[in-house]
Amino acid sequence: MKFLRQVFESLLFAYQALRSNIMRTTLSLLGVSVGIFAIVAVFTAVDSLNGKIRSEIDSFAGSGVLYVGKWPWLMQNNYPWWKYLNRPEIKYSEFRYLKENLTSAKAVAIIDGGRTGTVSSGSNSMDINITGASYDYNQVTSCPISDGRYFLPIEADNGLNVAIIGSKVAANLSNGEPIIGRIIKLNGIKFAVIGVIEQKGNDMLGFGGSPDEKVIIPYLTYASIFQKDRPQPDISVKAFEDDVNQQNLEGDITGMMRSLRSIKPKQEDSFSINRMDGLNQFFDGIFSVLNVAGALIAGFSLLVGGFGIANIMFVSVKERTNIIGIQKSLGAKNYFILFQFLFEAVFLSLIGGLVGIGLVVLITFIPQDALPLSLSFKNVLSGLMISSFIGILSGIIPAWVAAKMDPVIAIRSK
């Protein structure tokens, strides 16, 4: 109890010392405030960018989706395209077979979004991205409908001329009037608008263009329009959430595709099964580098702030040398003196850290269309821990010097 009481008294001494020198306290914590602000701002920006990209990947590719296609998704400099050039394209019959026989799949769809075109209504027209998709498209990827409805099975399976359009397309063609049920022309071919996709904003990664500038039509209709250009679809297979199921599903797909294409046991696959793991790992590496680089750059500001606190603490020890001598002559233990100055340094650093975090909070309230910033509890905690560590590091030597003073010499000092 005596030890705890003395620790509490040390806290009070530190608090009173900070209050008695408001101007010096304010100037001392500015350096730490700038450093913590820089580090937390970097972490917040990187985390927000990471979340934005992950969201777009999930929106484009879906979570837990396998893609069966001609080309493998390889993140490497020397892409061996010549190995895959002569592979056969994915066929609609292969999609039908997988859909009917893959019992371990949650949903199977065939998708091709590699074409651009022109959509028009009356005197209004715009360039758009065209996606051909089967009925299960909305089960393998995110396709929320804000107005109208999604495809009916009969529309998708019979290749009817119906279209679901992006929000920007709807705004450009509607002239303020209802767009659902209107006849539009897609590459000169008439389509009935049955739905409008919920507004998603700009696509940072450029996956098939902005979702707001997209037109989705049944795959069979798409294939008939672009049959001269040979559609290059992928079969998207939605797995159940656990990783074991995805691995089993990949094995089932491989076996069925090899059987369909009569691939002999020693022959290589003439298709690729892709997943977003490689892309996620690629971005993980980039964000790790950004975090380290940002922390190093911001760390220089924090280092300057730490030196500032250490300098002020040496000044504070010098000013209070006489008081230290009196306290020690009255029986104060070394740790009592050490805690006074150490707590003072930590308080200075923590207050500076809180100011820096507060500035980041203010920035997050500023509307950001391209990249909304979100300050996480993890980054707040990291900022407070870093500022506490800087306070301990900056104050330990001055506090140790004060604790080791000879009481007689200290009392005689002026």
Side-chain angles (χ1 to χ4, degrees):
M1 291 298 295
K2 180 181 177 181
F3 173 78
L4 292 177
R5 186 173 66 253
Q6 289 180 337
V7 170
F8 179 70
E9 289 177 359
S10 298
L11 284 168
L12 290 179
F13 272 109
Y15 173 71
Q16 291 169 0
L18 292 176
R19 284 192 61 187
S20 63
N21 296 282
I22 296 295
M23 182 60 70
R24 189 171 70 185
T25 299
T26 303
L27 294 174
S28 300
L29 59 85
L30 283 178
V32 176
S33 298
V34 172
I36 293 297
F37 166 76
I39 286 181
V40 175
V42 167
F43 288 164
T44 299
V46 171
D47 287 351
S48 299
L49 181 60
N50 190 1
K52 177 75 171 177
I53 289 177
R54 303 288 182 190
S55 175
E56 290 194 356
I57 289 175
D58 287 343
S59 177
F60 163 74
S63 176
V65 178
L66 305 178
Y67 288 84
V68 187
K70 175 179 177 179
W71 301 91
W73 300 348
L74 300 177
M75 296 294 174
Q76 61 186 47
N77 293 328
N78 299 318
Y79 185 81
W81 55 269
W82 57 90
K83 289 177 58 178
Y84 316 114
L85 183 62
N86 293 323
R87 282 181 172 182
E89 299 290 350
I90 295 295
K91 299 176 182 177
Y92 186 78
S93 59
E94 293 171 335
F95 151 68
R96 294 299 305 178
Y97 183 84
L98 292 180
K99 180 175 175 60
E100 293 168 1
N101 292 279
L102 269 177
T103 56
S104 55
K106 194 173 183 180
V108 182
I110 186 167
I111 304 170
D112 190 345
R115 300 293 193 279
T116 58
T118 301
V119 64
S120 61
S121 176
S123 60
N124 299 323
S125 65
M126 66 179 294
D127 295 329
I128 45 87
N129 175 267
I130 306 172
T131 296
S134 60
Y135 177 71
D136 286 342
Y137 174 76
N138 66 340
Q139 296 186 45
V140 299
T141 190
S142 176
C143 185
I145 304 297
S146 62
D147 190 16
R149 61 174 176 82
Y150 187 69
F151 298 125
L152 298 175
I154 192 173
E155 293 170 337
D157 293 342
N158 290 280
L160 301 184
N161 286 20
V162 291
I164 299 172
I165 61 177
S167 60
K168 192 171 181 179
V169 180
N172 286 346
L173 301 183
S174 65
N175 288 329
E177 299 177 0
I179 192 71
I180 303 300
R182 184 181 299 187
I183 301 299
I184 61 174
K185 288 187 177 180
L186 182 61
N187 284 10
I189 302 173
K190 293 181 179 181
F191 281 81
V193 177
I194 61 170
V196 177
I197 305 171
E198 186 178 293
Q199 184 175 358
K200 294 186 178 181
N202 293 328
D203 182 0
M204 295 178 65
L205 299 177
F207 284 139
S210 171
D212 299 335
E213 300 175 6
K214 180 182 290 187
V215 173
I216 305 173
I217 62 176
Y219 178 77
L220 291 177
T221 311
Y222 176 94
S224 65
I225 295 173
F226 296 106
Q227 58 186 348
K228 293 181 181 179
D229 299 327
R230 294 183 62 194
Q232 299 177 349
D234 285 335
I235 299 174
S236 304
V237 184
K238 175 75 171 180
F240 292 98
E241 299 305 323
D242 58 278
D243 293 334
V244 175
N245 180 265
Q246 290 185 38
Q247 293 175 0
N248 293 337
L249 180 58
E250 186 171 345
D252 293 343
I253 294 170
T254 301
M256 290 184 183
M257 288 296 295
R258 287 182 66 89
S259 176
L260 279 171
R261 295 189 171 185
S262 301
I263 301 174
K264 296 179 180 178
K266 292 185 179 181
Q267 288 180 323
E268 290 186 0
D269 293 339
S270 61
F271 57 91
S272 295
I273 299 178
N274 301 299
R275 60 172 71 189
M276 281 298 171
D277 293 355
L279 190 58
N280 286 331
Q281 291 173 6
F282 173 74
F283 282 113
D284 284 341
I286 291 178
F287 289 124
S288 296
V289 172
L290 287 176
N291 272 322
V292 172
L296 286 176
I297 294 171
F300 285 109
S301 299
L302 200 56
L303 188 63
V304 172
F307 280 124
I309 289 179
N311 183 49
I312 293 299
M313 293 310 302
F314 277 116
V315 172
S316 183
V317 170
K318 185 70 176 175
E319 289 178 346
R320 289 152 57 188
T321 300
N322 186 263
I323 297 175
I324 293 169
I326 294 173
Q327 289 177 337
K328 297 195 77 170
S329 66
L330 293 174
K333 301 293 184 181
N334 286 351
Y335 66 80
F336 178 76
I337 306 297
L338 184 140
F339 281 161
Q340 286 182 42
F341 293 95
L342 193 58
F343 287 153
E344 186 176 340
V346 172
F347 281 166
L348 272 174
S349 190
L350 270 175
I351 294 170
L354 288 171
V355 172
I357 292 170
L359 292 174
V360 177
V361 172
L362 291 177
I363 290 177
T364 61
F365 288 134
I366 300 175
Q368 300 285 339
D369 293 333
L371 181 63
L373 296 177
S374 176
L375 179 59
S376 66
F377 176 75
K378 180 192 74 173
N379 288 334
V380 172
L381 188 61
S382 297
L384 293 177
M385 290 179 65
I386 292 171
S387 58
S388 300
F389 176 74
I390 291 298
I392 294 172
L393 203 61
S394 303
I396 189 64
I397 296 178
W400 182 260
V401 170
K404 289 298 183 181
M405 281 184 179
D406 185 279
V408 176
I409 297 175
I411 289 176
R412 289 177 179 175
S413 66
K414 294 183 180 179

